[in-house]
Amino acid sequence: MVRGKTEMKRIENPTSRQVTFSKRRSGLLKKAFELSVLCEAEVGLIVFSPRGKLYEFSSTSMPKTIERYGSHSKESSNHHKRATEQNIQQLKFETAALQKKIEFLEAQRKKYLAENLESCSVEELQQMEAKIEQSLQKVRGKKNQLFEDQIAILQEKQTGLLRENGVLRQKVEDQTVPVAEGMPSNEEAQKIEVETELHIGWPPVRTAVAKKATEKHSK
């Protein structure tokens, strides 16, 4: 049967806990012995049971192994302490160097802002002037580049608007031509004019005849 994975937590059953302790303690002591023999290593193992009983194994002598461990631990502690002190000294040195660099940069900044120029020599002032001129050239170049980019964008927009305007004008002309073709010319309009004058009474041709008939009847 496959052995299941043991969950790493305290065994609640006292009997099972004691059995497990005995088995694993024996296995641990056996592994320590094998390690010392196979690898010629100095091994010291100390185990206290839950009831306080001591179990130990040493490939040489337990007191010597403990003494060796103590001296090694002390050396490691001293080495770590020395490394820590060296790191602290290095950090102090770097902090002082950064502080001096900050002070130097702050002084240079004030000089470029035309402050505290009394201590500057002629050569230093000339160098500062040359650097400022170089900076101004770079600033002007960047400004001109931005202007050129903006002009190019505006020209591109203008081209697009002109293109759209041409398309709209063509559409208007296409819609106007059929109406113009269906309308009569000026001469044709004059020929087909209709008299729209309003007359009240008898038509002009019958006016005389009607007048004579009226006179006879009155006589």
Side-chain angles (χ1 to χ4, degrees), residues 37-199:
V37 174
L38 295 175
C39 301
E40 199 176 355
E42 184 177 357
V43 180
L45 176 62
I46 299 175
V47 180
F48 287 96
S49 68
R51 298 180 180 179
K53 188 175 180 180
L54 172 64
Y55 299 90
E56 63 178 17
F57 167 80
S58 178
S59 59
T60 56
S61 173
M62 184 61 72
K64 290 182 179 180
T65 302
I66 293 174
E67 184 179 357
R68 183 178 179 183
Y69 170 77
S71 61
H72 180 76
S73 179
K74 186 176 181 181
E75 290 178 0
S76 298
S77 178
N78 292 333
H79 177 73
H80 179 70
K81 185 177 181 181
R82 287 194 300 269
T84 303
E85 291 177 354
Q86 290 177 358
N87 291 334
I88 292 173
Q89 293 297 328
Q90 182 67 21
L91 290 174
K92 287 182 179 179
F93 176 77
E94 293 178 358
T95 302
L98 289 175
Q99 185 65 29
K100 290 181 180 180
K101 188 174 181 179
I102 292 172
E103 292 176 356
F104 173 77
L105 293 175
E106 182 65 21
Q108 290 295 110
R109 186 186 69 83
K110 290 182 178 180
K111 289 179 181 180
Y112 280 109
L113 293 176
E115 299 178 5
N116 299 333
L117 298 178
E118 294 80 7
S119 60
C120 297
S121 62
V122 177
E123 294 180 355
E124 188 175 359
L125 291 174
Q126 290 177 348
Q127 292 177 358
M128 292 173 58
E129 184 179 5
K131 290 182 179 179
I132 291 173
E133 287 293 336
Q134 292 177 358
S135 300
L136 286 175
Q137 290 178 1
K138 292 181 180 179
V139 171
R140 293 192 185 101
K142 183 63 176 178
K143 182 185 67 175
N144 294 333
Q145 182 64 38
L146 291 176
F147 282 157
E148 291 176 359
D149 294 341
Q150 292 179 358
I151 290 172
I153 293 173
L154 292 175
Q155 289 177 348
E156 185 177 356
K157 289 183 178 180
Q158 182 183 10
T159 304
L161 292 174
L162 291 174
R163 190 182 300 109
E164 292 179 2
N165 189 17
V167 173
L168 294 174
R169 181 178 299 174
Q170 185 64 36
K171 289 182 178 180
V172 172
E173 292 178 356
D174 293 342
Q175 294 176 359
T176 306
V177 169
V179 178
E181 290 179 353
M183 293 178 64
S185 62
N186 293 332
E187 295 179 357
E188 293 177 352
Q190 291 177 0
K191 290 180 180 180
I192 62 175
E193 284 183 354
V194 180
E195 184 178 359
T196 58
E197 184 178 357
L198 178 63
H199 296 277

Side-chain angles (χ1 to χ4, degrees), residues 5-56:
K5 186 177 180 180
T6 303
E7 186 177 1
M8 289 293 104
K9 69 176 185 178
R10 180 176 179 272
I11 300 174
E12 298 297 335
N13 191 313
T15 304
S16 300
R17 186 166 60 245
Q18 183 62 33
V19 173
T20 302
F21 173 77
S22 299
K23 290 182 179 180
R24 291 184 179 267
R25 179 203 65 205
S26 300
L28 182 61
L29 293 173
K30 182 180 179 182
K31 291 294 183 183
F33 171 74
E34 293 175 353
L35 180 62
S36 65
V37 174
L38 295 175
C39 301
E40 199 176 355
E42 184 177 357
V43 180
L45 176 62
I46 299 175
V47 180
F48 287 96
S49 68
R51 298 180 180 179
K53 188 175 180 180
L54 172 64
Y55 299 90
E56 63 178 17

